[in-house]
Amino acid sequence: MDRNAYHNCSSLVKMPRQSYEQFWSSHFVDYIDKELNYSKFFRKYLLPNHPCMFSRRFTEDWKCRKQWVTEEGKPNFQILLQEFDETPVPVANCNAKEYNANPKQVMPLKEFIRYWKEYIQNGHSSPKGCLYLKDWHMSRDFPDHNLYTTPVFFSSDWLNEYWDTLEVDDYRFVYMGPKGSWYKNLNGLSFKSFRENSIVLVVSRTPFHADVFRSYSWSANICGRKKWLLYPPGQEDFLRDTHGNLPYDVTSAELQDRGLFPQFEEACQPLEIIQEAGEIIFVPSGWHHQVYNLEDTISINHNWLNGCNIDIMWQFLQNELSSVQKEIEEWRNTMDSWHQHCQVIMKACSGIDYSEFASFLKIVAESRMAFLNACTSGDSSDYSRHLSETLTALGPYHAAFDLQRVAHIIECLLCNDDFKRLDHSTSTLQPETLLQQIRDTIQSTRGQHLLYQE
């Protein structure tokens, strides 16, 4: 991040997101085929929360693009089997539905590839249905393979930084899926580069959803093509049924039934985007979407959060807790630990509660305070080498911006009644103390003139 980008946003409390009206009737997203510096991406896409597509030039040096793909542009099953033969992988059945999702099973990769080959040989059909390898933590399971490099635009990644620190989990995935067995031709999307494509609807798909914690996501096609349907934030409310539930499939004819979906006609048309092999799509926070494999496809996908969308995550968590509280409101006066039970249920449903969210902010803040202090002292022993490389690439301005965003959310937590009710006595660092440390670090760094250097 450069100095201008930092000073333009360092005093902002609320992120300056522009209206999404331009996407209500437009069929265009920016197509990036030339070099783009991080600060421009930050200002033009991260802050306003707008989607874009990166051309294949940004993935052409990835090892997986060279090794996992045949000369004909198809998945290289031989190489995949050589590397991951017995590896257990999660596989979803796209023809089955359980609680608005596809049920999953775990099988060795060789078994999935055996199915995939048979599926192709049978004209892209199988009595087993359309199976889709989803959410495989390949990067976590094989950290030394170095099959791709996260583009710098997506490297300010608090979510995976947190889980890497705990050495528990991550939100980096590989997807592999076959082309579907039925087709329907529609009009395609023309990018600003004037690339035109037809669209094919397929069975192999990801149901309509917004990403975990309302995070950003980026998805790179290693081979194959995908179709994306994206709705700007807020439009999903017009797609709810009379019970307030979102549809499983936004292309379903049942949405035309006003008795079931009374506001459907008020929703804008989705952005329909064709993603070619090698291209990377940036999906902003809170953009609900549905994804189809148009061909036999392999993709790499990351969910990620940072200072630009942490406020969206915080709002999402408040909404999640409010929903839980409404569901069990009738037991409020019968349980002394009602508020704690709400937190337990919230974590079971969404994957995180307020206490862990505070711990998440603490880890992010501590690494940036250590980085800024190291920039002054020259001692980088307080944080990992990988994180050091990321923070160094993004620079001290970005670290200071991150700290300001963490400080703002901590201030919001300290004013939140539900957070006040939690027991913080066992916490290793009280939120008030952390907030003061952040302020002291930013002030001392400014005192060293670190944030005023060219």
Side-chain angles (χ1 to χ4, degrees):
M1 176 188 285
D2 60 29
R3 183 170 64 174
N4 288 337
Y6 170 71
H7 286 297
N8 286 338
C9 65
S10 62
S11 62
L12 297 174
V13 174
K14 185 176 181 179
M15 290 292 97
R17 298 186 185 95
Q18 303 165 6
S19 169
Y20 299 110
E21 289 186 24
Q22 71 183 81
F23 298 104
W24 293 356
S25 58
S26 172
H27 293 286
F28 293 90
V29 295
D30 287 351
Y31 189 74
I32 300 169
D33 191 37
K34 298 180 179 179
E35 287 299 325
L36 179 74
N37 66 52
Y38 178 84
S39 292
K40 186 173 182 180
F41 178 77
F42 181 90
R43 291 191 300 266
K44 195 169 182 180
Y45 303 103
L46 287 182
L47 285 180
N49 206 42
H50 288 176
C52 63
M53 183 78 81
F54 290 85
S55 76
R56 67 187 63 196
R57 66 175 298 189
F58 292 90
T59 64
E60 61 188 4
D61 293 330
W62 289 4
K63 189 191 298 185
C64 59
R65 288 268 289 136
K66 300 174 181 178
Q67 295 183 355
W68 288 6
V69 186
T70 67
E71 293 181 359
E72 294 77 26
K74 305 296 183 181
N76 193 327
F77 295 134
Q78 181 179 354
I79 294 296
L80 290 170
L81 288 172
Q82 287 177 5
E83 294 190 13
F84 309 111
D85 188 29
E86 297 286 349
T87 302
V89 294
V91 177
N93 187 339
C94 295
N95 295 116
K97 176 183 173 184
E98 290 181 1
Y99 304 104
N100 243 26
N102 303 126
K104 287 183 181 178
Q105 59 180 311
V106 175
M107 65 176 67
L109 181 72
K110 67 178 182 181
E111 184 177 332
F112 175 73
I113 289 183
R114 184 185 306 118
Y115 152 82
W116 197 352
K117 289 179 177 179
E118 293 173 355
Y119 189 86
I120 294 172
Q121 291 169 358
N122 291 332
H124 288 88
S125 66
S126 169
K128 297 179 182 179
C130 189
L131 304 185
Y132 192 12
L133 190 161
K134 299 176 67 173
D135 302 330
W136 175 27
H137 296 265
M138 187 276 297
S139 181
R140 182 191 66 192
D141 297 341
F142 298 91
D144 297 328
H145 274 47
N146 298 316
L147 289 163
Y148 67 96
T149 303
T150 300
V152 65
F153 313 107
F154 318 131
S155 60
S156 177
D157 179 353
W158 298 6
L159 187 59
N160 287 297
E161 174 185 335
Y162 172 70
W163 288 111
D164 288 347
T165 301
L166 298 184
E167 298 182 342
V168 172
D169 205 351
D170 72 352
Y171 284 88
R172 308 178 184 98
F173 308 107
V174 170
Y175 283 39
M176 298 185 185
K179 173 184 175 181
S181 57
W182 58 277
Y183 309 81
K184 181 179 178 182
N185 289 325
L186 294 174
N187 292 326
L189 166 73
S190 295
F191 289 115
K192 285 188 175 177
S193 63
F194 304 105
R195 173 165 58 76
E196 297 183 353
N197 302 282
S198 62
I199 292 177
V200 181
L201 298 185
V202 298
V203 175
S204 180
R205 69 185 179 214
T206 300
F208 188 62
H209 69 287
D211 286 317
V212 59
F213 308 139
R214 296 303 179 265
S215 59
Y216 297 133
S217 68
W218 64 266
S219 179
N221 275 3
I222 305 308
C223 65
R225 303 167 73 231
K226 287 186 178 184
K227 172 194 169 185
W228 294 74
L229 300 179
L230 283 84
Y231 282 90
Q235 290 296 304
E236 72 277 4
D237 291 332
F238 299 123
L239 303 175
R240 297 185 185 276
D241 63 18
T242 52
H243 301 290
N245 299 316
L246 290 171
Y248 175 79
D249 179 1
V250 291
T251 67
S252 172
E254 70 176 2
L255 272 76
Q256 304 292 336
D257 186 342
R258 291 189 178 183
L260 291 176
F261 295 90
Q263 294 183 284
F264 173 67
E265 292 185 354
E266 299 178 47
C268 70
Q269 291 296 308
L271 284 173
E272 298 184 355
I273 301 175
I274 297 295
Q275 181 185 17
E276 300 288 347
E279 295 178 341
I280 309 174
I281 188 171
F282 166 59
V283 181
S285 284
W287 283 65
H288 283 70
H289 51 280
Q290 189 165 306
V291 190
Y292 301 85
N293 286 332
L294 307 182
E295 297 176 352
D296 297 320
T297 301
I298 300 175
S299 64
I300 291 173
N301 310 266
H302 284 205
N303 293 109
W304 51 300
L305 291 155
N306 61 31
C308 295
N309 64 342
I310 190 63
D311 59 318
I312 297 178
M313 179 183 183
W314 169 231
Q315 186 59 57
F316 166 75
L317 296 180
Q318 292 176 84
N319 294 343
E320 288 290 287
L321 181 59
S322 178
S323 296
V324 171
Q325 291 172 337
K326 289 177 182 177
E327 286 293 324
I328 63 171
E329 175 66 30
E330 59 186 294
W331 290 286
R332 179 191 286 264
N333 296 325
T334 65
M335 301 168 61
D336 293 336
S337 57
W338 183 83
H339 289 285
Q340 185 57 40
H341 276 285
C342 288
Q343 292 285 332
V344 171
I345 295 171
M346 173 192 174
K347 183 168 184 176
C349 293
S350 64
I352 195 170
D353 58 18
Y354 279 15
S355 293
E356 186 166 22
F357 182 58
S359 298
F360 165 75
L361 295 172
K362 171 178 173 287
I363 285 177
V364 171
E366 287 179 339
S367 63
R368 278 134 188 88
M369 288 190 290
F371 172 71
L372 287 177
N373 289 330
C375 288
T376 302
S377 66
D379 181 6
S380 61
S381 61
D382 290 339
Y383 52 95
S384 71
R385 183 184 66 82
H386 171 72
L387 188 55
S388 170
E389 292 173 354
T390 301
L391 294 176
T392 299
L394 294 173
Y397 291 117
H398 209 301
F401 167 77
D402 290 350
L403 286 176
Q404 290 179 334
R405 296 302 296 153
V406 172
H408 167 63
I409 300 300
I410 292 176
E411 290 169 350
C412 293
L413 282 172
L414 292 173
C415 294
N416 181 273
D417 289 337
D418 291 302
F419 185 75
K420 291 176 184 177
R421 294 187 181 99
L422 301 180
D423 180 10
H424 302 291
S425 60
T426 59
S427 175
T428 57
L429 185 63
Q430 298 299 310
E432 295 88 349
T433 304
L434 177 61
L435 182 59
Q436 188 58 51
Q437 288 183 0
I438 292 172
R439 290 168 174 166
D440 291 345
T441 298
I442 294 175
Q443 187 61 39
S444 65
T445 304
R446 283 176 174 164
Q448 296 290 332
H449 306 290
L450 181 63
L451 298 182
Y452 297 97
Q453 297 175 1
E454 292 292 344

